[in-house]
Short mmCIF file of all heavy atoms in Angstrom, two decimals:
data_model
loop_
_atom_site.label_atom_id
_atom_site.label_comp_id
_atom_site.label_asym_id
_atom_site.label_seq_id
_atom_site.Cartn_x
_atom_site.Cartn_y
_atom_site.Cartn_z
N PRO A 269 200.70 31.63 -74.62
CA PRO A 269 202.03 32.11 -74.21
C PRO A 269 203.05 32.08 -75.35
O PRO A 269 203.85 33.02 -75.49
CB PRO A 269 202.41 31.15 -73.08
CG PRO A 269 201.09 30.79 -72.46
CD PRO A 269 200.14 30.68 -73.63
N ALA A 270 203.01 31.05 -76.17
CA ALA A 270 203.97 30.94 -77.27
C ALA A 270 203.75 32.01 -78.34
O ALA A 270 204.66 32.32 -79.11
CB ALA A 270 203.90 29.55 -77.90
N GLN A 271 202.53 32.57 -78.38
CA GLN A 271 202.21 33.59 -79.40
C GLN A 271 202.21 35.00 -78.82
O GLN A 271 201.85 35.94 -79.52
CB GLN A 271 200.81 33.31 -79.98
CG GLN A 271 200.67 31.98 -80.71
CD GLN A 271 199.21 31.62 -80.89
OE1 GLN A 271 198.51 31.33 -79.93
NE2 GLN A 271 198.73 31.63 -82.12
N HIS A 272 202.60 35.13 -77.56
CA HIS A 272 202.48 36.43 -76.89
C HIS A 272 203.25 37.52 -77.66
O HIS A 272 204.44 37.38 -77.94
CB HIS A 272 203.01 36.33 -75.46
CG HIS A 272 202.85 37.58 -74.67
ND1 HIS A 272 201.62 38.18 -74.48
CD2 HIS A 272 203.75 38.37 -74.02
CE1 HIS A 272 201.77 39.27 -73.75
NE2 HIS A 272 203.05 39.40 -73.47
N ASP A 273 202.54 38.58 -77.99
CA ASP A 273 203.12 39.67 -78.80
C ASP A 273 202.71 41.00 -78.17
O ASP A 273 201.64 41.54 -78.48
CB ASP A 273 202.59 39.55 -80.23
CG ASP A 273 203.20 40.57 -81.18
OD1 ASP A 273 203.78 41.56 -80.71
OD2 ASP A 273 203.08 40.37 -82.41
N PRO A 274 203.53 41.54 -77.26
CA PRO A 274 203.16 42.78 -76.57
C PRO A 274 202.87 43.93 -77.52
O PRO A 274 201.99 44.75 -77.26
CB PRO A 274 204.39 43.08 -75.70
CG PRO A 274 205.09 41.78 -75.54
CD PRO A 274 204.84 41.02 -76.80
N ALA A 275 203.61 44.00 -78.63
CA ALA A 275 203.40 45.10 -79.59
C ALA A 275 202.01 45.00 -80.21
O ALA A 275 201.31 46.01 -80.38
CB ALA A 275 204.47 45.08 -80.67
N LEU A 276 201.58 43.80 -80.55
CA LEU A 276 200.25 43.60 -81.13
C LEU A 276 199.15 43.93 -80.11
O LEU A 276 198.14 44.56 -80.44
CB LEU A 276 200.10 42.17 -81.64
CG LEU A 276 198.78 41.82 -82.34
CD1 LEU A 276 198.52 42.74 -83.53
CD2 LEU A 276 198.77 40.35 -82.78
N LEU A 277 199.37 43.51 -78.86
CA LEU A 277 198.41 43.86 -77.80
C LEU A 277 198.30 45.37 -77.68
O LEU A 277 197.20 45.92 -77.54
CB LEU A 277 198.88 43.30 -76.45
CG LEU A 277 198.31 41.98 -75.96
CD1 LEU A 277 198.75 41.74 -74.53
CD2 LEU A 277 196.80 41.93 -76.08
N ASP A 278 199.43 46.05 -77.72
CA ASP A 278 199.46 47.51 -77.60
C ASP A 278 198.72 48.17 -78.76
O ASP A 278 198.02 49.18 -78.55
CB ASP A 278 200.90 48.01 -77.53
CG ASP A 278 200.98 49.47 -77.14
OD1 ASP A 278 200.37 49.83 -76.10
OD2 ASP A 278 201.60 50.27 -77.86
N GLU A 279 198.86 47.62 -79.95
CA GLU A 279 198.13 48.16 -81.12
C GLU A 279 196.63 48.14 -80.85
O GLU A 279 195.91 49.10 -81.18
CB GLU A 279 198.43 47.31 -82.37
CG GLU A 279 199.84 47.44 -82.90
CD GLU A 279 200.07 48.73 -83.67
OE1 GLU A 279 199.13 49.22 -84.30
OE2 GLU A 279 201.20 49.25 -83.61
N HIS A 280 196.13 47.05 -80.27
CA HIS A 280 194.70 46.96 -79.96
C HIS A 280 194.32 47.93 -78.84
O HIS A 280 193.28 48.59 -78.90
CB HIS A 280 194.34 45.52 -79.57
CG HIS A 280 194.30 44.57 -80.74
ND1 HIS A 280 195.43 43.95 -81.23
CD2 HIS A 280 193.27 44.16 -81.52
CE1 HIS A 280 195.09 43.20 -82.26
NE2 HIS A 280 193.79 43.30 -82.45
N ARG A 281 195.17 48.01 -77.81
CA ARG A 281 194.86 48.88 -76.67
C ARG A 281 194.78 50.34 -77.08
O ARG A 281 193.92 51.08 -76.62
CB ARG A 281 195.93 48.69 -75.59
CG ARG A 281 195.87 47.29 -75.02
CD ARG A 281 196.00 47.24 -73.52
NE ARG A 281 195.69 45.89 -73.08
CZ ARG A 281 196.59 44.96 -72.80
NH1 ARG A 281 197.87 45.25 -72.89
NH2 ARG A 281 196.23 43.77 -72.41
N ARG A 282 195.70 50.75 -77.93
CA ARG A 282 195.71 52.15 -78.38
C ARG A 282 194.44 52.49 -79.13
O ARG A 282 193.98 53.62 -79.11
CB ARG A 282 196.93 52.42 -79.27
CG ARG A 282 198.22 52.56 -78.48
CD ARG A 282 199.35 53.18 -79.28
NE ARG A 282 199.73 52.39 -80.44
CZ ARG A 282 199.47 52.73 -81.71
NH1 ARG A 282 198.80 53.83 -81.99
NH2 ARG A 282 199.88 51.97 -82.71
N ARG A 283 193.85 51.52 -79.76
CA ARG A 283 192.61 51.73 -80.51
C ARG A 283 191.37 51.51 -79.64
O ARG A 283 190.25 51.77 -80.07
CB ARG A 283 192.54 50.76 -81.71
CG ARG A 283 193.56 51.09 -82.80
CD ARG A 283 193.74 49.91 -83.75
NE ARG A 283 194.62 50.26 -84.86
CZ ARG A 283 195.95 50.30 -84.80
NH1 ARG A 283 196.56 50.01 -83.65
NH2 ARG A 283 196.66 50.61 -85.87
N GLY A 284 191.57 50.96 -78.44
CA GLY A 284 190.42 50.65 -77.58
C GLY A 284 189.67 49.42 -78.04
O GLY A 284 188.48 49.27 -77.76
N VAL A 285 190.36 48.51 -78.75
CA VAL A 285 189.74 47.26 -79.22
C VAL A 285 190.08 46.14 -78.23
O VAL A 285 191.25 45.91 -77.92
CB VAL A 285 190.25 46.89 -80.64
CG1 VAL A 285 189.68 45.55 -81.08
CG2 VAL A 285 189.89 47.98 -81.64
N VAL A 286 189.07 45.46 -77.72
CA VAL A 286 189.27 44.36 -76.77
C VAL A 286 189.79 43.13 -77.52
O VAL A 286 189.26 42.77 -78.58
CB VAL A 286 187.95 44.04 -76.03
CG1 VAL A 286 188.11 42.79 -75.17
CG2 VAL A 286 187.51 45.22 -75.18
N VAL A 287 190.79 42.48 -76.95
CA VAL A 287 191.31 41.25 -77.53
C VAL A 287 190.69 40.05 -76.83
O VAL A 287 190.72 39.94 -75.60
CB VAL A 287 192.85 41.17 -77.41
CG1 VAL A 287 193.37 39.81 -77.88
CG2 VAL A 287 193.50 42.30 -78.20
N GLU A 288 190.09 39.16 -77.63
CA GLU A 288 189.64 37.86 -77.13
C GLU A 288 190.60 36.82 -77.69
O GLU A 288 190.86 36.79 -78.89
CB GLU A 288 188.22 37.55 -77.62
CG GLU A 288 187.16 38.41 -77.00
CD GLU A 288 185.75 37.95 -77.34
OE1 GLU A 288 185.58 37.17 -78.31
OE2 GLU A 288 184.82 38.38 -76.65
N GLY A 289 191.12 35.96 -76.82
CA GLY A 289 192.07 34.94 -77.26
C GLY A 289 191.40 33.58 -77.37
O GLY A 289 190.69 33.17 -76.45
N TYR A 290 191.63 32.89 -78.48
CA TYR A 290 191.11 31.52 -78.59
C TYR A 290 192.27 30.54 -78.76
O TYR A 290 193.39 30.91 -79.11
CB TYR A 290 190.07 31.39 -79.72
CG TYR A 290 190.60 31.55 -81.14
CD1 TYR A 290 191.18 30.47 -81.80
CD2 TYR A 290 190.45 32.75 -81.83
CE1 TYR A 290 191.65 30.61 -83.11
CE2 TYR A 290 190.90 32.89 -83.13
CZ TYR A 290 191.49 31.81 -83.77
OH TYR A 290 191.94 31.95 -85.06
N SER A 291 191.99 29.27 -78.47
CA SER A 291 192.96 28.16 -78.57
C SER A 291 194.18 28.37 -77.67
O SER A 291 195.27 27.90 -77.97
CB SER A 291 193.41 27.96 -80.03
OG SER A 291 192.33 27.58 -80.83
N GLY A 292 193.98 29.06 -76.55
CA GLY A 292 195.09 29.32 -75.63
C GLY A 292 195.67 28.06 -75.01
O GLY A 292 196.88 27.96 -74.80
N LEU A 293 194.80 27.07 -74.72
CA LEU A 293 195.29 25.81 -74.15
C LEU A 293 195.75 24.87 -75.24
O LEU A 293 196.78 24.19 -75.12
CB LEU A 293 194.19 25.16 -73.30
CG LEU A 293 193.73 25.98 -72.09
CD1 LEU A 293 192.63 25.25 -71.34
CD2 LEU A 293 194.90 26.28 -71.15
N LYS A 294 195.01 24.85 -76.34
CA LYS A 294 195.34 23.96 -77.46
C LYS A 294 196.74 24.24 -78.00
O LYS A 294 197.47 23.33 -78.40
CB LYS A 294 194.28 24.16 -78.55
CG LYS A 294 194.51 23.37 -79.83
CD LYS A 294 193.32 23.53 -80.75
CE LYS A 294 193.62 22.95 -82.12
NZ LYS A 294 193.94 23.97 -83.11
N ASN A 295 197.14 25.51 -78.02
CA ASN A 295 198.43 25.88 -78.59
C ASN A 295 199.55 26.00 -77.55
O ASN A 295 200.56 26.64 -77.80
CB ASN A 295 198.29 27.21 -79.35
CG ASN A 295 197.42 27.06 -80.58
OD1 ASN A 295 197.35 26.00 -81.18
ND2 ASN A 295 196.73 28.13 -80.96
N THR A 296 199.34 25.38 -76.41
CA THR A 296 200.34 25.48 -75.33
C THR A 296 200.81 24.09 -74.89
O THR A 296 199.99 23.18 -74.75
CB THR A 296 199.73 26.21 -74.11
OG1 THR A 296 199.35 27.53 -74.50
CG2 THR A 296 200.71 26.31 -72.96
N ASP A 297 202.10 23.95 -74.66
CA ASP A 297 202.65 22.73 -74.07
C ASP A 297 202.47 22.83 -72.56
O ASP A 297 203.24 23.52 -71.88
CB ASP A 297 204.13 22.60 -74.44
CG ASP A 297 204.80 21.42 -73.73
OD1 ASP A 297 204.07 20.60 -73.12
OD2 ASP A 297 206.04 21.33 -73.75
N LEU A 298 201.45 22.15 -72.05
CA LEU A 298 201.14 22.27 -70.63
C LEU A 298 202.14 21.53 -69.75
O LEU A 298 202.07 21.62 -68.52
CB LEU A 298 199.71 21.76 -70.37
CG LEU A 298 198.60 22.61 -71.03
CD1 LEU A 298 197.24 21.95 -70.83
CD2 LEU A 298 198.59 24.03 -70.49
N LEU A 299 203.09 20.82 -70.36
CA LEU A 299 204.15 20.14 -69.60
C LEU A 299 205.42 20.99 -69.54
O LEU A 299 206.43 20.56 -68.98
CB LEU A 299 204.47 18.78 -70.23
CG LEU A 299 203.30 17.77 -70.26
CD1 LEU A 299 203.71 16.49 -70.97
CD2 LEU A 299 202.82 17.46 -68.83
N ASN A 300 205.35 22.19 -70.10
CA ASN A 300 206.52 23.08 -70.06
C ASN A 300 206.92 23.32 -68.61
O ASN A 300 206.07 23.66 -67.77
CB ASN A 300 206.17 24.41 -70.76
CG ASN A 300 207.37 25.32 -70.85
OD1 ASN A 300 207.84 25.85 -69.85
ND2 ASN A 300 207.87 25.53 -72.06
N PRO A 301 208.21 23.16 -68.28
CA PRO A 301 208.65 23.30 -66.88
C PRO A 301 208.31 24.65 -66.24
O PRO A 301 208.06 24.72 -65.04
CB PRO A 301 210.18 23.13 -66.97
CG PRO A 301 210.44 22.48 -68.28
CD PRO A 301 209.30 22.79 -69.19
N VAL A 302 208.31 25.72 -67.03
CA VAL A 302 207.95 27.04 -66.49
C VAL A 302 206.52 26.99 -65.95
O VAL A 302 206.23 27.46 -64.84
CB VAL A 302 208.07 28.14 -67.58
CG1 VAL A 302 207.46 29.46 -67.08
CG2 VAL A 302 209.53 28.36 -67.96
N LEU A 303 205.62 26.39 -66.72
CA LEU A 303 204.20 26.33 -66.31
C LEU A 303 203.99 25.34 -65.17
O LEU A 303 203.23 25.63 -64.23
CB LEU A 303 203.33 25.94 -67.51
CG LEU A 303 203.37 26.90 -68.71
CD1 LEU A 303 202.57 26.34 -69.87
CD2 LEU A 303 202.83 28.27 -68.32
N THR A 304 204.66 24.19 -65.25
CA THR A 304 204.43 23.18 -64.19
C THR A 304 204.99 23.66 -62.85
O THR A 304 204.38 23.41 -61.80
CB THR A 304 205.06 21.83 -64.58
OG1 THR A 304 206.46 22.00 -64.87
CG2 THR A 304 204.37 21.23 -65.80
N GLU A 305 206.09 24.40 -62.87
CA GLU A 305 206.66 24.91 -61.61
C GLU A 305 205.73 25.95 -60.99
O GLU A 305 205.46 25.91 -59.77
CB GLU A 305 208.04 25.53 -61.88
CG GLU A 305 208.80 25.94 -60.62
CD GLU A 305 208.37 27.30 -60.07
OE1 GLU A 305 208.08 28.21 -60.88
OE2 GLU A 305 208.31 27.44 -58.82
N ILE A 306 205.21 26.87 -61.81
CA ILE A 306 204.30 27.90 -61.30
C ILE A 306 203.02 27.24 -60.77
O ILE A 306 202.52 27.59 -59.70
CB ILE A 306 203.97 28.93 -62.41
CG1 ILE A 306 205.24 29.73 -62.76
CG2 ILE A 306 202.85 29.87 -61.96
CD1 ILE A 306 205.08 30.63 -63.99
N ALA A 307 202.51 26.26 -61.52
CA ALA A 307 201.27 25.57 -61.11
C ALA A 307 201.47 24.87 -59.78
O ALA A 307 200.62 24.97 -58.88
CB ALA A 307 200.87 24.57 -62.19
N GLN A 308 202.59 24.18 -59.65
CA GLN A 308 202.88 23.44 -58.40
C GLN A 308 202.96 24.40 -57.22
O GLN A 308 202.41 24.14 -56.14
CB GLN A 308 204.19 22.68 -58.58
CG GLN A 308 204.40 21.61 -57.53
CD GLN A 308 205.60 20.73 -57.87
OE1 GLN A 308 206.40 21.06 -58.74
NE2 GLN A 308 205.74 19.62 -57.17
N ARG A 309 203.62 25.52 -57.42
CA ARG A 309 203.79 26.50 -56.35
C ARG A 309 202.46 27.08 -55.89
O ARG A 309 202.27 27.37 -54.71
CB ARG A 309 204.73 27.62 -56.84
CG ARG A 309 205.17 28.58 -55.77
CD ARG A 309 206.47 29.30 -56.08
NE ARG A 309 206.76 29.47 -57.49
CZ ARG A 309 206.31 30.48 -58.23
NH1 ARG A 309 205.53 31.40 -57.70
NH2 ARG A 309 206.65 30.57 -59.51
N HIS A 310 201.52 27.24 -56.82
CA HIS A 310 200.21 27.83 -56.47
C HIS A 310 199.15 26.78 -56.16
O HIS A 310 198.01 27.13 -55.81
CB HIS A 310 199.72 28.73 -57.61
CG HIS A 310 200.51 30.00 -57.79
ND1 HIS A 310 200.44 31.04 -56.90
CD2 HIS A 310 201.40 30.38 -58.74
CE1 HIS A 310 201.24 32.03 -57.29
NE2 HIS A 310 201.84 31.64 -58.41
N GLY A 311 199.50 25.51 -56.33
CA GLY A 311 198.53 24.44 -56.06
C GLY A 311 197.39 24.39 -57.06
O GLY A 311 196.24 24.09 -56.70
N VAL A 312 197.71 24.71 -58.33
CA VAL A 312 196.69 24.69 -59.39
C VAL A 312 197.26 23.90 -60.59
O VAL A 312 198.38 23.39 -60.53
CB VAL A 312 196.30 26.13 -59.84
CG1 VAL A 312 195.63 26.88 -58.69
CG2 VAL A 312 197.52 26.91 -60.34
N THR A 313 196.48 23.80 -61.66
CA THR A 313 196.94 23.07 -62.84
C THR A 313 197.66 24.02 -63.80
O THR A 313 197.41 25.24 -63.79
CB THR A 313 195.77 22.43 -63.59
OG1 THR A 313 194.94 23.47 -64.14
CG2 THR A 313 194.92 21.55 -62.67
#
Side-chain angles (χ1 to χ4, degrees):
Q271 297 164 292
H272 184 56
D273 184 343
L276 183 57
L277 263 189
D278 191 53
E279 291 283 328
H280 286 84
R281 294 223 170 99
R282 283 195 298 108
R283 291 164 175 80
V285 176
V286 173
V287 174
E288 291 189 342
Y290 68 83
S291 297
L293 298 179
K294 177 173 170 258
N295 293 331
T296 299
D297 174 11
L298 295 174
L299 299 177
N300 185 290
V302 170
L303 299 175
T304 56
E305 187 278 323
I306 293 171
Q308 196 171 13
R309 189 156 28 85
H310 290 288
V312 296
T313 67

